[in-house]
Amino acid sequence: MSEDARKRDCERNAAKRRLAAHGAWLQACRPVLPGDALYCCQPVCEAAAAAGMDYIRVCKPGSRKRLYEVLESRRASGAVRSTGWLPRRGKGKRSERHRFRWTVAVPLRQGRDALRGTWVVQGFARTRFRSPARATWGGKLPP
């Protein structure tokens, strides 16, 4: 196992230990636990759900292949909802447009035991840039 893989594993295990140790008293606050792509994995998300917490995680296409396969098939079938581009005034000469797309019950990994969550992507474009940037995340959020 490489040093980088060991470090990722240690951080994930530490997150699970903290959730187990502090989850009971944090649950009363109804926190939403943010996390980067490192924590967008089944064991850490299961630990957050077992502690009764909601979570939101960054989902990179390269690391969540099954999730993006499902998303592609849902896009083709029209199951991904969208706000369309929403205009937003900016300061000075800058202006931005935003678009949100989402779908629900997306599996985090392959298999029947996969956690299912909501996938959301925020696209935004500034008048100065030709191609829009985007931020993608997924998680278990309250209805």
Side-chain angles (χ1 to χ4, degrees), residues 14-34 47-48 50-54:
K16 290 188 286 185
R17 282 193 307 272
R18 286 187 181 211
L19 285 167
H22 304 291
W25 69 269
L26 279 173
Q27 187 177 10
C29 301
R30 292 198 48 138
V32 176
L33 304 174
M53 297 182 201
D54 297 313

Side-chain angles (χ1 to χ4, degrees), residues 70-131:
V70 170
L71 288 174
E72 194 55 44
S73 69
R74 289 192 183 180
R75 276 189 206 123
S77 69
V80 175
R81 300 181 66 186
S82 176
T83 60
W85 285 102
L86 304 171
R88 179 178 159 216
R89 287 183 62 189
K91 295 180 180 179
K93 293 182 180 181
R94 285 188 173 179
S95 81
E96 296 178 339
R97 298 178 302 148
H98 291 261
R99 174 176 66 179
F100 292 91
R101 291 179 291 149
W102 69 95
T103 190
V104 297
V106 180
L108 186 58
R109 68 177 185 188
Q110 196 163 357
R112 291 181 181 257
D113 64 338
L115 283 177
R116 297 187 178 272
T118 302
W119 172 84
V120 179
V121 64
Q122 175 190 14
F124 50 95
R126 293 191 177 121
T127 54
R128 293 180 139 174
F129 303 112
R130 293 181 187 257
S131 62

